[in-house]
Amino acid sequence: MTADTTTPTPVASGTTGEPALKVDSLWKIFGNRSDKIIGTSDADLSRKDLQEKTGCVLAVKDVSFEVAPGEVFVVMGLSGSGKSTLVRCLTRLIEPTSGSVVLNGEEVTSANEGQLRELRRKQVAMVFQHFGLLPHRQVIENIAFGLEVRGDDRTSRRRRAQEMVDLVGLSGYERSYPDQLSGGMQQRVGLARALAADPAILMFDEPFSALDPLIRRDMQNEVIRLHKEVGKTMVFITHDLAEALKLGDRILIMRDGEVVQVGRPDEVVGAPADDYVKDFVSDVPKSHVLTLKWVMRPARPGESDSGPALQCDTIVRDAARDVLAANGPVRVLDGDKVVGMVDDQDILRVVVAEEGTS
Amino acid sequence: MRRRNRVALVGVAAALALALAACGSGGIKDTTTASGKKCGDLNIAVNPWTGYESDAYVVGDIATTKLGCNVSYQNVKEEVGWQGMSSGTIDTILENWGHPDLVKKYVDQQKTVVDAGQTGNQGIIGWYVPPWMAAKYPDITDWKNLNKYASMFKTSESGGKGQLLDGDPSYVTNDEALVKNLHLNYQVVVGGSEAALIQSFRSAEKNKTPLLAYFYEPDWFFSEMKLVKVNLPKYTDGCDADAAKVACDYPPYNLNKLISKKFADSGSPAVDLIKNFHWTNDDQNLVSTYIAQDKMKPADAAQKWIDANPDKVAAWLK
Amino acid sequence: MTVQVLARPVNKEAEPPTERAKNRHTMPLLGAVIVVWVVGWLIFRNHDTLVLSFQQQTDFHKWINDLRDNIQASAQHNWFFHGVIGKITTFFNWLVEQIQHLFSLPAFPRPVPQVGWLGVLVLLGWVGYAVAGARSAILVLVTVFLFGILGAWQDSVDTLIITLIAVAICVIIGLPLGIAMARNKLVSTLVTPVLDTMQTMPAFAYLAPLALIFGIGASSAVVCTLIYALPPLVRITEHGIRSVPATTLEAAGSLGVTKRQLLRQVQIPMAKRTIVVGINQCTMAALSMATIAAFVSSPGLGQDVEQALQNLDVGGSAVYGFAIVIIAIMLDRTTTAASERSEKQSAARVASVGGPGVMLVTVVLEHLPRWASEETKGRRPLPSKAFRRGILGIGLVVVAISIWLSRQYLSLASFPKSLDFGTDISNKVSDFSDWFVNLAEPVTNAFKNVVTYGLLNPLQSLLGESPFWLIAPVILALALILGGWRALAVSVVCEAIIFGTGLWHDTMVTLTMTLVATVLVMLVAVVLGVSMGRSRRADTIIRPVLDTFQTIPPFVYLVPALALFGPTRFTAIVAAIAYGVPIATKLVADGIRGVAPTTVEAARASGITRWQMIRKVQLPMAREALLLSTNQGILYVLSMVVIGGLVGGGSLGYIVVSGFSQDQLFGKGLAAGIAITALGVMLDRIARYTAARHGRA
């Protein structure tokens, strides 16, 4: 039953070898002489105590994780949890206090200014909550901006930008100015701008928080679509658990600058690391997230040889119809191997529990 | 991009304008010069009183029309005019009231300014009362009686004492020292300009209110109102040597003209005009009346007088 | 997120109670100090008042005179004064003269300028179209034509020349400086106090030394206009670059821009509109100073206004004042329209204001005269590029033809006399004014006497007749109570400087007038401001009037005030009120309007009367705006009270003016300039720190 919360499980398309992003004991403390704190006993203080004692604000505390190529990695936490700082530390938009970040095998933390610039121009692109568009440029010029600053020639960057316009569904708006577009469309521009440079990694900093719920859902689907189409590695920051569960291959939950839990969506919901996470996920429709693995019971002797079977990573909601239609317990397989059984009771327990809470 | 175009357009326009300006000047005739010598620029200082304006515009008008000078009038205070002559931005001062300290500095020591002779005007500075007061209080014209009447001259500005109204801050004045040294119970209050003084006299005469004020001759205003001078202790040579200890009346002034050394050496025909310029208090007052009373523009007033006095003008142009 | 957390004060909960406790003690403490002062005054009246009579001079004054003499003597050969300054002077004089010969002065031997009035008119109209569009072009044409109608052709064009040269130099210096300040903290820290001083220093204070160094004439005029007009441009540029949103900078940073790319492709384009507003402010300040520069013989309308002041010529001052106002409107509208054109801007909020002699960084753009505001609301579609180019091209041909014509025909070269109505208008106005002054004399006199005897004289005797050793600590105590330690520190330094200038008593007299005028300004400002803040209609009626008053250069006010009240301190005060009320009123009005509608609604729901609403809700909640308004009011008033020295205001202003015109008083005049500056800085800082401490209710 216990989910492994420390070692990442590569989910996406069987890539092995180097991670796309590797973060090792990253710290960020704001304030004077903050670099002196790490390694002392002060570092163990809570955020509040540290601030009272030294005046420094702890934003990111000893964070480590890896992201596999092609993976969508979500960092989730409430405001003030340090997630935005964390993502900025990854490309050193905010200078981390200590720790290391390795991006596609390249050490970010020790890069000089020129290397860092190159890295930002080619390797990583970012989408921001407030879009960060240039109001004095047309949509197409905004999208081409990154290409322009890295010195691509005019025709090639125009062509590329036009492709991106089409990709994000903004055709016809190339000549508009940002303030003539709706929020959702502006964020499409932001997305297109990030994609234009064809980066290895895309980073999203709460990109949809400022949008209306319906538009937010469209944009989430858009990201899923784009991910399928271009297959980029993505690091996605959000405070919205539903969004995290919907998009994330894996989720990192932060609180007060610390990592609380890292795991697949079903792991987070099925096996919350502590009460904080448990409280967090209590409202989540579990049947939408949990897989059979989390609801099955061990097979009783004699049950396991026949009848309908489902794979153990099938989501409960999707399995419900089959299980309820079956005349008895259903076998749960991991590959060919029977790992357990589910029956109507197991399914209903998850679904009905939800009804009760909502 | 667009901006660059705009800039380019402005540039082209300027170039075109200049090109046109350079070629097409045919329609308007150049100023003709009566005398053979080329006059060039003439910068005349204009000090802030009407009488001076009369001098300046009469001379300036003649210099323009008869000598073909390019005259510009510089409105400056007296001492600024001296400075201007020293630094070369001003060529002449046409009515100078004494200023022995400046004469010493610029004429004797620096040698940047040269005396250009008398204007023919006699200058008087003093304290005056409106006619009705002189009629009603005949003894007021003796300074010894001033304290007797001090309370009458009280105003909101004089801090409980009698008010002595002064003119422009740049005017030659010993008034504050005089009040102190003659032990007068008066306070000097600054009116700010010739016009302010005249306005005050008019309203004092009209409303029969008391007024004691600094004034001077020649001034056109005497043709409107016969102000009466208060006699201060008689002026003797050197009694005003120490500005802080003055206790005597102002000296009589023979007003003179000054030109800068640079201008004097320039060979401009205007130098001779300025040296020759000489007229009476009445002449000046007439032009001043045109300006101040009849509200003519100074240049028009000067023109009117010049047209009426061809002989005098001819004499200056010899 | 975390970054924003940092910006908040650390001990947010702990502070307010202590602050409030301080505020509670303020009133009794102030009372105590004033009681001590009055008692001390009663006992020691007229002792040690440090009166320095007009002709008396201190060693310091004489030392400055000697210094001046040395500079003058060395001006002939010294490498710096002759070589550097001399060259600059010659250059500016030459430049202005060349342009004048082109457009305004007869280009000898021609009896007329190279380009006649028609040429100038059409050329300026074309430039107006090029930078700001068709409406502005029409405005420019009308305005420039009016120059001639008003009989002020040459002087108006001269004023334009001086103003525009100064603005051009300001842009050359100011833009890079502002950008450097925005990008580099050190530069900003170093330059800001210099700008502060440049702005607190009343223009009058530095005219004389400038005239000494650069000689009288166009050169000094350009330099002093430059000094005056530069700070707003630098400040607004810095602000514009700084206010590019952090999110945008971050986004650009994430795309890997270089610093240069960031500046050229992000910061400058996004700050462009703000920068054009800066140029607008710079232009308006330059125009206002170009008028005052008449004192150093600057060519232009200032001379005419000064002349009118000299001759008590209300009509003349009205005509020339009007000419200045229409130039101001023209320049303001054109530059504003130009900034509107610089399209696709972020919503720029500007935090600086250009007011003669003074400026405060926190004052917002809306308080400036905004002639163009109506037409800027909606974004009008711009004509297509091709259309514009076509018009510009055709216009160019018209310009060329006009210039050519204006060189051919005398009636197109110098403005025809038959169209010159200046004298007529002037005489009509003068007649009206004479009639009015006669009529109003009893009323104006009574008013003058009430204020003078009731307010001015008692306060002056309290300030002027107290021993300096009494009043100096009293002022320090007030500074401490109101503004805290920093205000105290500044006041100590300023008092020391004032003491050092030897003009203590005169400074106290100037202070008296400033305080009285400020009180009156605030009375008017609160009444007008509250009604404007509460009623849209009052606002629409009053605001244009305020805008007009703000556009009139300060010393145009003096003439009618002088005609009404004669040469008295009160005249200076009236002019100061006219000058200070607009800005103060606008600040109050915006403060009142800024009170949260929910609060007003809640108050109304509890059934309070209108008067209670004003007194108990709106005014207390607009406290910050009131303090700010007082601060601005004080500084505007001070700069005007100084100029009031010209019309019987006496004290420091009078000494400055005298220093101009009397050789041996140069040193004393300069010392008075220093004293004024010190007084200004002291009042400004006390007011500012008071606002900072007590601003938040």
Side-chain angles (χ1 to χ4, degrees):
Chain A
M1 272 292 275
T2 46
D4 188 349
T5 55
T6 48
T7 48
T9 334
V11 176
S13 55
T15 13
T16 48
E18 287 231 334
L21 174 68
K22 184 174 188 308
V23 176
D24 196 20
S25 54
L26 195 71
W27 287 77
K28 177 65 199 178
I29 303 173
F30 290 102
N32 293 328
R33 303 175 59 79
S34 53
D35 50 326
K36 299 282 182 289
I37 293 168
I38 297 159
T40 68
S41 59
D42 285 352
D44 298 331
L45 291 173
S46 76
R47 180 187 266 188
K48 200 174 161 214
D49 293 340
L50 182 73
Q51 184 173 355
E52 261 166 33
K53 186 168 173 190
T54 63
C56 292
V57 178
L58 177 69
V60 176
K61 183 175 181 180
D62 198 15
V63 171
S64 306
F65 62 88
E66 285 179 13
V67 180
E71 186 180 9
V72 178
F73 187 83
V74 176
V75 178
M76 206 217 63
L78 298 178
S79 64
S81 63
K83 57 189 188 307
S84 286
T85 310
L86 172 64
V87 75
R88 281 166 175 72
C89 285
L90 301 183
T91 55
R92 285 171 58 195
L93 287 173
I94 291 176
E95 205 59 50
T97 313
S98 81
S100 99
V101 176
V102 180
L103 230 155
N104 278 348
E106 211 177 317
E107 179 72 43
V108 178
T109 23
S110 63
N112 64 27
E113 206 178 314
Q115 292 167 331
L116 191 60
R117 199 179 299 133
E118 274 312 296
L119 184 112
R120 288 178 186 166
R121 286 177 176 185
K122 307 226 164 102
Q123 300 284 326
V124 204
M126 211 163 156
V127 179
F128 295 89
Q129 180 178 5
H130 297 292
F131 323 139
L133 302 178
L134 301 175
H136 58 284
R137 286 170 165 246
Q138 296 168 343
V139 164
I140 189 109
E141 293 169 337
N142 260 294
I143 294 173
F145 184 66
L147 307 173
E148 184 183 334
V149 299
R150 74 183 187 195
D152 289 11
D153 69 78
R154 198 178 157 79
T155 43
S156 80
R157 67 179 192 240
R158 279 278 157 160
R159 196 174 55 236
R160 176 75 185 161
Q162 189 59 51
E163 284 169 25
M164 291 305 115
V165 167
D166 300 338
L167 182 66
V168 299
L170 280 175
S171 309
Y173 292 96
E174 295 88 343
R175 301 277 157 215
S176 303
Y177 286 89
D179 60 357
Q180 297 167 325
L181 302 181
S182 69
M185 287 163 90
Q186 290 191 40
Q187 194 56 293
R188 282 174 198 263
V189 179
L191 199 55
R193 178 177 65 186
L195 287 168
D198 195 22
I201 298 188
L202 275 171
M203 297 196 180
F204 297 81
D205 178 27
E206 301 206 35
F208 311 139
S209 310
L211 305 178
D212 294 339
L214 285 178
I215 298 172
R216 191 184 311 160
R217 200 182 60 194
D218 284 353
M219 292 300 290
Q220 287 163 354
N221 293 335
E222 186 76 15
V223 168
I224 292 171
R225 178 178 74 83
L226 286 171
H227 185 244
K228 279 190 192 131
E229 277 181 34
V230 298
K232 302 275 180 211
T233 310
M234 294 181 179
V235 175
F236 197 103
I237 309 295
T238 182
H239 64 255
D240 177 357
L241 183 65
E243 187 169 83
L245 295 171
K246 181 171 180 182
L247 299 176
D249 292 327
R250 280 190 306 137
I251 301 170
L252 182 156
I253 298 177
M254 280 183 89
R255 181 177 56 168
D256 287 353
E258 289 179 82
V259 177
V260 184
Q261 185 171 11
V262 182
R264 290 192 311 274
D266 58 329
E267 289 173 341
V268 171
V269 176
D274 60 9
D275 290 346
Y276 176 76
V277 180
K278 194 180 214 165
D279 192 29
F280 227 117
V281 302
S282 61
D283 280 352
V284 171
K286 296 201 170 51
S287 60
H288 294 198
V289 181
L290 292 183
T291 56
L292 291 181
K293 187 173 145 195
W294 297 95
V295 297
M296 68 191 186
R297 57 176 170 76
R300 294 193 196 103
E303 275 182 330
S304 56
D305 44 353
S306 65
L310 290 165
Q311 284 295 320
C312 71
D313 57 357
T314 314
I315 291 173
V316 171
R317 184 178 55 175
D318 302 337
R321 179 181 291 261
D322 292 336
V323 175
L324 294 177
N327 286 327
V330 175
R331 286 178 300 156
V332 181
L333 305 179
D334 184 6
D336 299 335
K337 201 171 140 250
V338 177
V339 289
M341 305 293 287
V342 283
D343 54 25
D344 299 0
Q345 290 299 317
D346 300 318
I347 298 293
L348 288 175
R349 203 166 48 237
V350 178
V351 177
V352 174
E354 243 155 57
E355 297 284 308
T357 53
S358 58
Chain B
M1 302 301 115
R2 195 181 311 160
R3 200 180 45 198
R4 196 172 304 154
N5 277 335
R6 218 183 289 164
V7 170
L9 274 172
V10 174
V12 170
L16 241 160
L18 279 174
L20 265 169
C23 64
S25 61
I28 298 168
K29 282 207 193 81
D30 286 352
T31 325
T32 45
T33 340
S35 75
K37 271 192 273 183
K38 190 176 173 293
C39 178
D41 294 337
L42 171 59
N43 296 304
I44 302 177
V46 182
N47 291 166
W49 57 89
T50 318
Y52 190 113
E53 269 185 84
S54 304
D55 287 32
Y57 280 88
V58 166
V59 171
D61 206 77
I62 297 170
T64 309
T65 54
K66 300 284 165 41
L67 303 178
C69 302
N70 179 28
V71 174
S72 71
Y73 301 97
Q74 313 272 354
N75 291 311
V76 289
K77 311 278 186 183
E78 292 159 79
E79 318 226 0
V80 181
W82 281 83
Q83 271 174 38
M85 283 200 291
S86 153
S87 64
T89 48
I90 281 176
D91 298 321
T92 180
I93 288 181
L94 291 172
E95 183 180 295
N96 175 52
W97 289 65
H99 293 295
D101 52 333
L102 296 174
V103 171
K104 192 170 142 210
K105 185 165 159 187
Y106 293 108
V107 179
D108 300 342
Q109 289 171 359
Q110 288 189 14
K111 299 193 193 305
T112 46
V113 176
V114 181
D115 181 59
Q118 316 264 307
T119 64
N121 295 137
Q122 305 296 318
I124 301 170
I125 297 177
W127 297 354
Y128 292 82
V129 290
W132 78 267
M133 288 197 86
K136 189 163 178 192
Y137 312 101
D139 62 342
I140 204 170
T141 55
D142 186 348
W143 70 271
K144 291 192 191 92
N145 298 321
L146 282 177
N147 273 346
K148 192 167 79 184
Y149 295 111
S151 64
M152 207 162 61
F153 291 101
K154 244 193 274 182
T155 69
S156 64
E157 302 305 296
S158 61
K161 301 173 177 175
Q163 168 177 289
L164 168 59
L165 190 66
D166 258 26
D168 185 292
S170 66
Y171 289 173
V172 174
T173 172
N174 299 327
D175 287 359
E176 209 168 289
L178 282 170
V179 166
K180 194 173 152 220
N181 297 330
L182 296 173
H183 306 290
L184 297 174
N185 190 23
Y186 280 78
Q187 167 86 33
V188 176
V189 173
V190 180
S193 64
E194 182 182 73
L197 293 172
I198 289 174
Q199 179 73 26
S200 303
F201 274 119
R202 275 186 183 145
S203 115
E205 181 67 13
K206 194 182 92 194
N207 304 322
K208 301 283 178 274
T209 48
L211 177 69
L212 176 68
Y214 172 103
F215 211 69
Y216 40 83
E217 293 177 62
D219 194 283
W220 67 273
F221 186 58
F222 282 91
S223 66
E224 180 181 320
M225 192 181 292
K226 291 283 170 243
L227 303 179
V228 181
K229 187 169 180 291
V230 174
N231 296 310
L232 295 173
K234 209 166 167 44
Y235 175 80
T236 54
D237 239 7
C239 74
D240 58 352
D242 186 346
K245 292 186 183 142
V246 182
C248 60
D249 210 340
Y250 291 89
Y253 294 93
N254 283 319
L255 306 183
N256 66 327
K257 301 157 288 184
L258 300 161
I259 50 178
S260 74
K261 183 81 172 65
K262 197 178 100 191
F263 182 64
D265 296 344
S266 71
S268 163
V271 175
D272 289 331
L273 169 66
I274 291 166
K275 283 186 176 162
N276 292 338
F277 169 70
H278 194 275
W279 64 355
T280 65
N281 283 13
D282 288 342
D283 289 327
Q284 195 199 54
N285 284 342
L286 188 58
V287 181
S288 302
T289 312
Y290 294 155
I291 299 174
Q293 189 92 307
D294 306 343
K295 302 243 161 85
M296 291 173 74
K297 287 198 172 169
D300 300 339
Q303 191 62 53
K304 185 171 173 186
W305 186 89
I306 290 169
D307 291 344
N309 295 279
D311 303 350
K312 288 186 181 172
V313 174
W316 299 341
L317 284 170
K318 261 194 300 210
Chain C
M1 309 294 110
T2 326
V3 191
Q4 281 160 358
V5 171
L6 272 180
R8 275 186 235 132
V10 184
N11 286 327
K12 219 184 145 213
E13 295 81 31
E15 250 178 345
T18 51
E19 273 297 319
R20 228 165 270 148
K22 262 188 226 156
N23 287 353
R24 207 170 40 229
H25 293 305
T26 306
M27 277 301 153
L29 276 174
L30 282 180
V33 170
I34 288 169
V35 168
V36 169
W37 179 15
V38 173
V39 170
W41 170 73
L42 285 171
I43 302 172
F44 299 105
R45 206 170 160 183
N46 281 328
H47 289 280
D48 299 319
T49 53
L50 302 185
V51 176
L52 191 73
S53 79
F54 185 61
Q55 256 115 4
Q56 271 178 315
Q57 300 198 36
T58 67
D59 288 341
F60 176 59
H61 305 160
K62 288 175 188 150
W63 177 76
I64 301 179
N65 279 345
D66 291 344
L67 191 69
R68 184 258 328 250
D69 290 344
N70 288 336
I71 290 178
Q72 273 185 336
S74 62
Q76 326 285 340
H77 39 76
N78 177 294
W79 71 268
F80 180 72
F81 286 108
H82 185 67
V84 180
I85 301 284
K87 289 267 167 12
I88 295 175
T89 310
T90 320
F91 171 72
F92 281 145
N93 281 335
W94 174 85
L95 182 68
V96 172
E97 202 175 318
Q98 292 311 306
I99 300 178
Q100 276 185 309
H101 284 317
L102 209 49
F103 298 119
S104 72
L105 279 186
F108 196 78
R110 282 168 63 82
V112 288
Q114 294 291 2
V115 178
W117 70 268
L118 183 72
V120 176
L121 178 75
V122 177
L123 179 64
L124 288 177
W126 185 83
V127 172
Y129 182 78
V131 301
R135 284 186 181 214
S136 299
I138 292 167
L139 177 73
V140 170
L141 288 176
V142 171
T143 308
V144 176
F145 192 71
L146 275 175
F147 292 173
I149 299 283
L150 291 171
W153 177 265
Q154 185 196 318
D155 287 324
S156 303
V157 175
D158 279 346
T159 297
L160 263 185
I161 291 173
I162 297 283
T163 307
L164 294 181
I165 289 179
V167 170
I169 302 170
C170 276
V171 169
I172 294 169
I173 301 173
L175 286 191
L177 186 60
I179 290 168
M181 283 171 72
R183 289 160 64 87
N184 187 325
K185 249 206 142 89
L186 181 69
V187 178
S188 180
T189 325
L190 289 177
V191 177
T192 305
V194 179
L195 295 181
D196 272 351
T197 320
M198 279 163 84
Q199 295 186 321
T200 322
M201 194 160 48
F204 244 52
Y206 50 79
L207 282 177
L210 279 180
L212 171 67
I213 297 172
F214 293 98
I216 55 165
S219 179
S220 284
V222 169
V223 175
C224 68
T225 308
L226 191 65
I227 293 180
Y228 189 68
L230 191 57
L233 179 62
V234 175
R235 291 218 144 137
I236 296 178
T237 303
E238 180 189 8
H239 176 82
I241 300 280
R242 281 242 167 109
S243 19
V244 172
T247 53
T248 311
L249 295 183
E250 192 173 47
S254 80
L255 293 165
V257 294
T258 60
K259 281 198 165 158
R260 204 181 142 77
Q261 286 172 327
L262 188 69
L263 181 66
R264 289 196 30 192
Q265 298 182 0
V266 179
Q267 288 174 312
I268 290 182
M270 286 186 70
K272 190 164 143 200
R273 186 173 132 81
T274 312
I275 291 173
V276 179
V277 171
I279 293 174
N280 166 289
Q281 284 306 291
C282 172
T283 312
M284 303 311 283
L287 175 64
S288 142
M289 191 63 195
T291 323
I292 298 181
F295 272 86
V296 287
S297 288
S298 161
L301 291 165
Q303 296 248 0
D304 301 306
V305 176
E306 203 199 338
Q307 208 72 29
L309 180 62
Q310 211 85 257
N311 299 333
L312 266 186
D313 176 7
V314 179
S317 83
V319 169
Y320 297 116
F322 183 67
I324 297 172
V325 170
I326 60 175
I327 294 181
I329 295 175
M330 173 182 88
L331 291 175
D332 186 25
R333 274 223 189 190
T334 313
T335 43
T336 308
S339 87
E340 295 302 323
R341 280 187 91 83
S342 64
E343 70 247 71
K344 309 315 161 202
Q345 67 290 0
S346 61
R349 277 179 68 81
V350 176
S352 176
V353 64
V358 285
M359 218 162 293
L360 195 71
V361 195
T362 46
V363 179
V364 191
L365 178 66
E366 286 89 67
H367 308 120
L368 304 167
R370 287 261 62 91
W371 299 95
S373 55
E374 305 92 57
E375 79 177 278
T376 61
K377 288 281 153 58
R379 181 178 289 166
R380 281 176 298 117
L382 295 171
S384 78
K385 265 190 220 175
F387 177 77
R388 256 179 62 76
R389 282 211 193 118
I391 296 280
L392 282 175
I394 295 166
L396 210 55
V397 176
V398 177
V399 169
I401 293 170
S402 310
I403 290 175
W404 184 76
L405 285 174
S406 79
R407 291 177 57 76
Q408 295 300 318
Y409 302 100
L410 198 59
S411 62
L412 299 178
S414 62
F415 202 84
K417 281 220 155 102
S418 54
L419 289 176
D420 171 353
F421 297 103
T423 322
D424 294 346
I425 302 171
S426 159
N427 289 343
K428 291 257 157 48
V429 174
S430 288
D431 292 346
F432 172 78
S433 141
D434 288 347
W435 171 80
F436 183 77
V437 168
N438 256 326
L439 192 76
E441 204 160 19
V443 182
T444 53
N445 256 331
F447 186 41
K448 175 179 82 182
N449 288 339
V450 166
V451 175
T452 308
Y453 289 115
L455 205 55
L456 193 54
N457 284 352
L459 190 61
Q460 181 163 330
S461 90
L462 191 59
L463 275 161
E465 291 169 10
S466 292
F468 79 94
W469 45 258
L470 173 65
I471 198 153
V474 163
I475 293 176
L476 294 183
L478 294 178
L480 176 65
I481 296 167
L482 289 171
W485 289 104
R486 286 181 302 174
L488 176 72
V490 175
S491 304
V492 168
V493 175
C494 290
E495 282 193 352
I497 292 172
I498 293 168
F499 188 83
T501 60
L503 297 166
W504 181 267
H505 181 258
D506 288 294
T507 308
M508 289 305 120
V509 176
T510 300
L511 177 60
T512 309
M513 287 197 285
T514 308
L515 294 179
V516 169
T518 307
V519 168
L520 295 174
V521 163
M522 288 317 293
L523 279 178
V524 179
V526 167
V527 171
L528 290 182
V530 166
S531 59
M532 282 169 72
R534 290 171 54 87
S535 144
R536 277 279 160 203
R537 200 199 292 159
D539 193 87
T540 15
I541 296 167
I542 299 174
R543 202 170 276 267
V545 180
L546 298 180
D547 285 347
T548 315
F549 270 73
Q550 262 182 308
T551 320
I552 299 173
F555 73 108
V556 176
Y557 289 127
L558 293 178
V559 187
L562 187 60
L564 280 172
F565 301 104
T568 58
R569 283 166 299 160
F570 185 69
T571 302
I573 288 178
V574 168
I577 293 170
Y579 190 51
V581 158
I583 182 81
T585 305
K586 286 183 181 179
L587 285 167
V588 173
D590 290 7
I592 297 288
R593 189 161 303 138
V595 174
T598 49
T599 315
V600 174
E601 197 171 34
R604 199 181 297 135
S606 63
I608 68 177
T609 65
R610 200 167 62 160
W611 173 236
Q612 283 173 323
M613 174 75 89
I614 295 173
R615 218 166 45 91
K616 292 188 189 288
V617 179
Q618 290 176 319
L619 280 179
M621 288 188 71
R623 189 152 116 183
E624 196 166 1
L626 280 173
L627 285 167
L628 184 61
S629 156
T630 315
N631 181 356
Q632 286 296 289
I634 288 179
L635 290 172
Y636 271 64
V637 159
L638 175 66
S639 79
M640 195 67 189
V641 159
V642 171
I643 296 178
L646 285 172
V647 293
S651 62
L652 292 181
Y654 178 61
I655 298 173
V656 170
V657 179
S658 310
F660 258 100
S661 41
Q662 296 207 25
D663 196 64
Q664 71 277 19
L665 286 181
F666 178 84
K668 197 172 176 183
L670 194 59
I674 297 171
I676 291 166
T677 308
L679 182 64
V681 170
M682 184 167 85
L683 290 173
D684 175 47
R685 292 309 135 89
I686 293 177
R688 243 194 250 191
Y689 293 135
T690 306
R693 262 163 62 105
H694 302 277
R696 263 157 233 110

